[in-house]
Amino acid sequence: MSSAQQLLLTAIRCDIDNLSHLATTADIVGDISRFIHMLQRERGASTIYLVSQGQRFKTRRDTYRQHSQQAEILMRHRLEALSEEARPQAAARLLRRIAAVWYALDELGALREAIDTFAITPDAATQAFNQLTSGLLAIVFEAADTSIDPDITRTLVAIFHLMQGKELAGQERACGAFGFTHGHFDEPHRALLNQLMTDQQRCFDTFVEFATPEAQQAWQKELSPRTLSGICHLRDIACQRSSATQSPQKDTPDTLGETWYELTTLRIDSMKMVEDALISQLSVLCHRKIAQAEDALEKTKAEPCRPAPAPCEQLLALNGSQPLGDLTANALTSPLGRSLIELTQAQASRLQGLSDELENTRKALRERKLIERAKGLIMAHQEMSEEEAYRFLRKTSMDQSKSMADMAQAILDLSAMLKRKDDAKT
């Protein structure tokens, strides 16, 4: 076996190792998805339980807590297996994310006990659940950011944004449950509700951008127009209801609170069905890529031994646009001489195509990170909400005929320059 063939075999085996790790990551994403879904249910039920001082949703909360604990056990086992690999394939950042989540998981018991004894406010409990879920979603994001296969990366990006949008929908459910059960919405909760609606729509737009046509069709099919219409109607009521302008209605806790919870739960459960289908597609994609790589490995092994290579000066003529010497031309027209060359060129072309597609996907991710950072600066210095900052950034980029990413980079560069000036003065 020639050195070139041996190197090619080693490269294909590395591809298989990486793809196998991605398949494991797909399983982890599935476990995280199930656990988050159970936590979202527990969070919503806990909000109503706390607001009603234990008069409502006690049994349902106990049931959801058991489901969360069962899903947590399965997820922990999968994460432990990843960390205990003899030669971990996971990136260091991914393992650090998992470690941070592990600490948060260990605090879940204390949070549940505080809810049991009403030692925590509904908003504080919701925030604690939100932080844990955010850490879990960060694991999915790191998995997407470290993928080396463009098809798998796109699928992971779609899954991440669907999960993030679904989490924001879960936070909206908890926020609405608080207001309707309490009997009114104060200004902070109404503002939060509006912000959650805007943010989740942005996530869903990105999901649709990266999702396959099949996933997009499933998205349109699963979301019931009747359910969405009911939710929109209750959103209008919530945004109009203020403790300063309207007194609580007697039937709000018994009717609107229940209706809101059930309708938003139907919507979130529909999202979970699409999410499950996507994760299943991801697993199938990973294993199909592994099978293709294993097939390529067997074909490469079966290639016959190569003749001795041509001299260096003749090998320089491999580019078809240059004239070939007789000896080189004869070598390239020989079936034995062409097989490895064709295989190597095909591999190089495939890797270049993968690299180009992956770079495009990663470029999109980098641009989104830039926009998020610039948006945060605008919010801090201009005292704007997230939505206002986003609109300001978009309008400014349009006025200056720049992309939002370029405008975001200019804002970040200007901020860094001003900070250096301030530091120099002090």
Side-chain angles (χ1 to χ4, degrees), residues 2-72:
S2 67
S3 297
Q5 191 177 18
Q6 183 62 52
L7 288 169
L8 187 54
L9 288 171
T10 302
I12 296 174
R13 290 190 182 101
C14 287
D15 284 342
I16 293 172
D17 285 344
N18 288 327
L19 288 167
S20 297
H21 170 65
L22 286 173
T24 301
T25 301
D27 293 333
I28 291 173
V29 170
D31 288 338
I32 290 175
S33 168
R34 283 187 289 274
F35 181 49
I36 287 178
H37 192 62
M38 295 300 105
L39 274 183
Q40 288 168 338
R41 287 181 171 180
E42 183 181 354
R43 175 181 57 198
S46 296
T47 299
I48 295 178
Y49 175 81
L50 286 170
V51 175
S52 66
Q53 287 294 301
Q55 297 300 310
R56 306 183 59 216
F57 272 42
K58 182 181 186 304
T59 302
R60 190 179 299 196
R61 174 178 168 260
D62 290 340
T63 301
Y64 290 162
R65 176 170 53 188
Q66 292 174 6
H67 293 168
S68 294
Q69 290 169 334
Q70 292 167 0
E72 179 186 350

Side-chain angles (χ1 to χ4, degrees), residues 162-181:
L162 177 57
M163 292 177 70
Q164 189 176 45
K166 175 172 166 286
E167 162 58 12
L168 293 171
Q171 292 183 25
E172 182 191 8
R173 175 174 60 184
C175 180
F178 175 91
F180 283 122
T181 304

Side-chain angles (χ1 to χ4, degrees), residues 253-412:
D254 295 328
T255 58
L256 293 186
E258 285 284 351
T259 303
W260 167 263
Y261 188 88
E262 297 304 332
L263 286 175
T264 51
T265 296
L266 283 173
R267 177 175 180 244
I268 292 170
D269 288 348
S270 296
M271 294 177 192
K272 183 64 168 65
M273 294 178 70
V274 179
E275 194 174 284
D276 288 344
L278 264 179
I279 293 171
S280 177
Q281 290 174 17
L282 174 63
S283 180
V284 170
L285 178 61
C286 288
H287 287 95
R288 184 170 73 241
K289 297 271 186 179
I290 292 171
Q292 291 171 351
E294 289 174 341
D295 184 58
L297 181 66
E298 293 304 316
K299 287 180 179 178
T300 306
K301 287 180 180 178
E303 290 292 333
C305 295
R306 304 296 184 273
C312 292
E313 61 269 21
Q314 294 167 343
L315 288 177
L316 294 175
L318 287 179
N319 190 329
S321 63
Q322 298 176 354
L324 300 174
D326 290 341
L327 182 57
T328 305
N330 291 335
L332 292 179
T333 55
S334 165
L336 293 178
R338 284 193 59 83
S339 56
L340 181 58
I341 294 172
E342 289 175 342
L343 188 61
T344 305
Q345 288 177 336
Q347 178 78 348
S349 177
R350 183 181 72 85
L351 291 175
Q352 184 60 48
L354 291 175
S355 177
D356 292 343
E357 289 185 313
L358 181 59
E359 181 55 33
N360 289 336
T361 303
R362 286 184 170 166
K363 181 183 177 183
L365 289 171
R366 288 195 296 268
E367 288 178 350
R368 293 184 191 284
K369 290 179 181 179
L370 282 176
I371 291 170
E372 289 299 315
R373 289 175 56 197
K375 191 170 63 177
L377 280 174
I378 295 170
M379 292 167 63
H381 291 283
Q382 300 297 323
E383 296 184 355
M384 292 182 177
S385 67
E386 186 174 3
E387 179 62 17
E388 289 172 338
Y390 180 84
R391 290 176 179 172
F392 174 84
L393 181 59
R394 182 174 60 185
K395 184 178 185 304
T396 306
S397 63
M398 291 174 64
D399 292 343
Q400 299 191 19
S401 299
K402 291 183 177 181
S403 69
M404 286 189 67
D406 289 340
M407 194 69 241
Q409 185 64 63
I411 291 173
L412 293 172

Side-chain angles (χ1 to χ4, degrees), residues 112-173:
R112 287 166 174 151
E113 183 177 352
I115 295 172
D116 286 335
T117 58
F118 305 101
I120 189 171
T121 66
D123 284 342
T126 297
Q127 185 61 30
F129 279 114
N130 293 354
Q131 289 174 353
L132 173 56
T133 306
S134 176
L136 291 165
L137 287 172
I139 295 176
V140 180
F141 180 82
E142 290 296 344
D145 204 31
T146 56
S147 169
I148 61 171
D149 183 277
D151 294 330
I152 295 174
T153 299
R154 281 194 295 269
T155 305
L156 277 166
V157 170
I159 290 172
F160 169 75
H161 283 90
L162 177 57
M163 292 177 70
Q164 189 176 45
K166 175 172 166 286
E167 162 58 12
L168 293 171
Q171 292 183 25
E172 182 191 8
R173 175 174 60 184

Side-chain angles (χ1 to χ4, degrees), residues 172 175-176 179-180 184-198 231-243 245-246 256 260:
E172 182 191 8
C175 180
F180 283 122
H184 67 276
F185 288 81
D186 56 20
E187 186 59 35
H189 284 89
R190 287 196 297 135
L192 175 60
L193 204 64
N194 279 304
Q195 189 66 55
L196 290 170
M197 286 188 282
T198 300
I231 291 173
C232 288
H233 176 65
L234 289 178
R235 282 171 172 172
D236 290 341
I237 294 175
C239 292
Q240 294 168 5
R241 190 180 302 282
S242 169
S243 59
T245 61
Q246 193 167 354
L256 293 186
W260 167 263

